[in-house]
Amino acid sequence: MIQAKQALLAALADSLQEIAPGSNAPAAFESPKQAAHGDFACTAAMQLAKPLKANPRELATRLIAALEAKPAFQQWVQSLEIAGPGFINIRLKPAAKQAVVAEVLAAAAQFGHRAATGQHVMVEFVSANPTGPLHVGHARQAALGDALCSLFKTQGHDVTREFYYNDAGVQIATLANSTQMRLKGFKPGDAEWPEAAYNGDYIQDIADAFLRQETVKADDREFSASGDVNDLDGIRQFAVAYLRHEQDLDLQAFGLKFDSYFLESSVYAGGQLEKTVERLVASGKTYEEGGALWLRTTDFGDDKDRVMRKKEGGYTYFVPDVAYHINKFERGYTQCINIQGTDHHGTIARVRAGLQAVGLGIPQGFPDYVLHKMVTVMKGGEEVKISKRAGSYVTLRDLVDWTSRDAVRFFLISRKADTEFVFDIDLALKANDENPVFYVQYAHARICSVIRKWAADMGGDVATIAGADLSLLTAPTEEALMLKLAAYPDMLSGAAAGLAPHDIAFYARDLAGAYHSYYAAERVMDQAPELSRARVALLAATRQVLANALAVLGVSAPEQMSRDAAQDQPETE
């Protein structure tokens, strides 16, 4: 069906030029709101009506006549009908829908993937300062970012996962001071304990390791402790390396590895910050007022101008962000996406304004942002707020330990990023259809079970299903399942364009639902051998696309699963 659709779109483009030479009406199909209206809908006649000053239904009639003369429409289309003010509803021949089964089986894990584009995309996410364990907000970023990266790869882009963090500044100084206080025998609650100090048990773990003069190694650094409680700089460096190592363990538990790490300190040490300020001053977009240096961000759509350098000295936090994003642009990335919490919304306009003001030809709207809302964790009907390890919040590793990597990934990607999310621990542990990740994974496992049974009981050879007679797949539930399979490539491209990886989770649930409906309606065993083989081919294609979708989300596709006893359904095959 994918090849059929491409051929039909090419024929539509030719036909549009025949009836309206030079028009820019897009050659595109839409999905009808009701399945009864057909398989595709075309609105081109209505779009052309105004510029051509013609009746849209008359244009639709002319367009249908042009389409019916095209070999592709003769081969793949059963009927063309005008509806409403000028819609054209298109019904495909069964062979067009059945072809998707062979296409999936031939492409296998590459089904839905596009050819290399040469585009270099960076996704920056998590980006947690090394001051404590990764919390549930970082977990949501990890799920969103990793899925988005995998999604971009399906579209043929070269993708870099980058982790940016501050290895200096006030928070790191607080970390060092907190660790030193623990080294000196103080703890939270003592009169000497600073109010701003970090209270989690992990601070004591760092102090103990420092006294043992351990060497800690993270993905981007390694440091050996001196054991000297008065070596504050050594304590700082050790604490940063220790917590980066801990964060790496969190990320390993999540199944995520970054391609590069970028330190905020390098913006200062490398002179990039000063060069950025010089460029901004030279652009004429800055001015002095009240002893401070301001950037005219209102020239670029911001609601007010922003201070760059404070009157008491030091730059405001968005200036190093501008320098960092100039660095991204100069590294050759054609698209950059930042995944951050909604509390970063205020930085978008000023960072983009700074990037426009430097005059380097950076595109407007660079970088893109995906902002996510908070995650609330529920267990036993009550909100979980405290993690002993972290001191004041639930960590990423808590979620993985309480449930599973698959559950955390699927749950946190199953809603739009800009909506608040309730992570229900009890639901994530259920082995029934209430649990969305179980529902999808169980569809894959059930298909594996049916195919194994077919091979064992009927002597079927899985290697032969690619040659099955797909014309036998005519049941309504089979047609619905094949149409859902055919929608996968366009779903991926739309999700990538919209920075919407949650669309993949939605699709996986819909595909699992279409399979479960099919499983309830049709039998694979006890059929004529060729019909049985054709249905196994359809099941194998469905299994492949489920596995492909789950892989983009970083979720496994198990071949065997068991359900809660009260929910179990016997095999009907």
Side-chain angles (χ1 to χ4, degrees):
M1 184 172 174
I2 309 304
Q3 294 177 355
K5 184 177 181 180
Q6 292 172 345
L8 293 175
L9 287 171
L12 173 60
D14 289 344
S15 297
L16 288 172
Q17 290 305 308
E18 290 175 11
I19 69 168
S23 84
N24 57 2
F29 295 138
E30 298 178 4
S31 297
K33 293 183 179 180
Q34 298 182 28
H37 291 168
D39 302 305
F40 297 141
C42 177
T43 61
M46 291 186 294
Q47 295 175 25
L48 287 171
K50 187 173 182 179
L52 295 182
K53 298 180 181 180
N55 181 289
R57 287 184 65 91
E58 292 178 0
L59 280 177
T61 300
R62 290 169 55 195
L63 181 54
I64 285 177
L67 293 173
E68 288 177 337
K70 301 296 180 185
F73 273 75
Q74 294 170 1
Q75 180 180 1
W76 299 115
V77 172
Q78 183 169 291
S79 66
L80 294 162
E81 301 170 352
I82 301 174
F87 289 100
I88 298 177
N89 289 332
I90 302 168
R91 298 180 191 278
L92 299 175
K93 292 179 179 179
K97 303 170 190 177
Q98 294 155 354
V100 72
V101 175
E103 291 168 342
V104 172
L105 295 177
Q110 294 300 304
F111 181 72
H113 288 222
R114 296 178 183 269
T117 62
Q119 290 194 45
H120 300 285
V121 179
M122 175 196 284
V123 183
E124 180 223 321
F125 58 109
V126 180
S127 294
N129 292 339
T131 55
L134 300 178
H135 55 62
V136 292
H138 298 131
R140 192 170 196 183
Q141 286 193 30
L144 288 165
D146 200 35
L148 193 58
C149 289
S150 297
L151 176 58
F152 278 127
K153 284 196 170 185
T154 70
Q155 300 307 292
H157 304 331
D158 178 54
V159 182
T160 297
R161 293 164 169 82
E162 182 150 292
F163 189 122
Y164 170 89
Y165 68 92
N166 181 6
D167 58 338
V170 175
Q171 291 184 348
I172 303 301
T174 302
L175 171 67
N177 290 329
S178 302
T179 305
Q180 189 178 51
M181 289 295 287
R182 288 278 196 169
L183 285 164
K184 292 180 177 181
F186 300 107
K187 62 183 184 301
D190 292 346
E192 298 85 355
W193 190 257
E195 183 178 347
Y198 296 131
N199 299 325
D201 286 356
Y202 68 93
I203 299 295
Q204 185 64 59
D205 295 338
I206 298 170
D208 293 342
F210 184 83
L211 282 177
R212 292 192 296 267
Q213 298 183 19
E214 292 184 4
T215 296
V216 288
K217 184 177 181 180
D219 281 352
D220 69 308
R221 61 178 58 217
E222 181 177 339
F223 191 81
S224 297
S226 67
D228 180 358
V229 298
N230 295 312
D231 179 13
L232 185 59
D233 187 63
I235 293 170
R236 176 185 64 80
Q237 293 190 62
F238 181 80
V240 168
Y242 186 99
L243 286 173
R244 278 291 309 112
H245 171 72
E246 288 293 305
Q247 290 178 347
D248 289 342
L249 295 178
D250 291 342
L251 295 169
Q252 288 170 22
F254 195 74
L256 172 58
K257 187 172 180 62
F258 283 87
D259 302 303
S260 62
Y261 291 83
F262 194 98
L263 309 184
E264 183 177 349
S265 61
S266 69
V267 173
Y268 298 86
Q272 296 177 55
L273 183 64
E274 289 75 13
K275 187 175 182 180
T276 297
V277 174
E278 290 171 3
R279 283 168 162 169
L280 289 170
V281 172
S283 73
K285 296 295 183 180
T286 65
Y287 61 93
E288 298 268 358
E289 183 177 291
L293 178 65
W294 296 72
L295 178 64
R296 298 184 191 277
T297 56
T298 50
D299 288 357
F300 303 95
D302 200 1
D303 59 343
K304 62 181 180 180
D305 292 342
R306 304 291 175 173
V307 173
M308 289 175 53
R309 187 183 62 238
K310 295 173 282 189
K311 63 180 180 180
E312 62 271 20
Y315 292 103
T316 53
Y317 64 90
F318 88 91
V319 182
D321 278 355
V322 173
Y324 171 44
H325 286 89
I326 291 173
N327 177 281
K328 288 183 179 181
F329 179 73
E330 291 180 335
R331 278 188 273 166
Y333 290 103
T334 51
Q335 184 178 12
C336 291
I337 301 99
N338 296 343
I339 301 180
Q340 299 172 322
T342 50
D343 56 324
H344 288 79
H345 184 272
T347 68
I348 297 176
R350 62 199 73 170
V351 169
R352 287 177 172 170
L355 294 173
Q356 291 300 299
V358 293
L360 295 176
I362 297 175
Q364 290 187 5
F366 181 98
D368 291 308
Y369 287 84
V370 174
L371 302 181
H372 68 86
K373 289 190 176 180
M374 64 180 293
V375 178
T376 300
V377 180
M378 302 292 292
K379 189 176 184 180
E382 297 182 353
E383 183 177 351
V384 183
K385 294 184 178 180
I386 302 299
S387 165
K388 183 178 179 182
R389 177 169 172 261
S392 60
Y393 53 82
V394 177
T395 69
L396 182 158
R397 217 182 310 178
D398 287 333
L399 290 184
V400 174
D401 290 345
W402 292 341
T403 59
S404 67
R405 176 195 299 179
D406 285 344
V408 175
R409 280 181 171 269
F410 194 95
F411 270 52
L412 293 179
I413 208 72
S414 63
R415 295 287 186 276
K416 292 180 65 176
D418 61 0
T419 60
E420 293 187 1
F421 183 75
V422 175
F423 193 109
D424 189 331
I425 299 295
D426 300 318
L427 177 61
L429 293 173
K430 287 185 176 180
N432 60 38
D433 291 350
E434 295 178 51
N435 179 348
V437 66
F438 179 90
Y439 183 72
V440 175
Q441 289 180 317
Y442 188 67
H444 183 274
R446 176 183 264 180
I447 293 173
C448 291
S449 175
V450 173
I451 293 176
R452 286 193 300 267
K453 188 174 179 62
W454 171 76
D457 294 358
M458 299 189 66
D461 183 353
V462 176
T464 69
I465 62 175
D469 183 0
L470 302 178
S471 67
L472 300 174
L473 301 175
T474 58
T477 51
E478 289 169 335
E479 179 178 309
L481 192 52
M482 290 184 288
L483 287 173
K484 182 59 68 175
L485 295 178
Y488 181 69
D490 284 347
M491 181 279 299
L492 286 179
S493 60
L499 305 181
H502 61 273
D503 284 351
I504 306 165
F506 291 174
Y507 172 87
R509 290 189 68 177
D510 287 347
L511 179 58
Y515 164 69
H516 287 309
S517 296
Y518 175 67
Y519 178 88
E522 306 297 337
R523 300 180 66 83
V524 173
M525 255 56 81
D526 302 325
Q527 302 292 319
E530 279 305 303
L531 176 58
S532 182
R533 188 159 70 117
R535 288 181 170 173
V536 168
L538 174 57
L539 294 188
T542 304
R543 176 179 64 178
Q544 182 68 65
V545 176
L546 281 170
N548 291 1
L550 289 171
V552 176
L553 300 179
V555 176
S556 69
E559 296 188 2
Q560 291 182 304
M561 295 178 70
S562 59
R563 298 168 61 92
D564 290 338
Q567 292 283 327
D568 204 12
Q569 297 178 11
E571 294 284 348
T572 60
E573 308 301 338

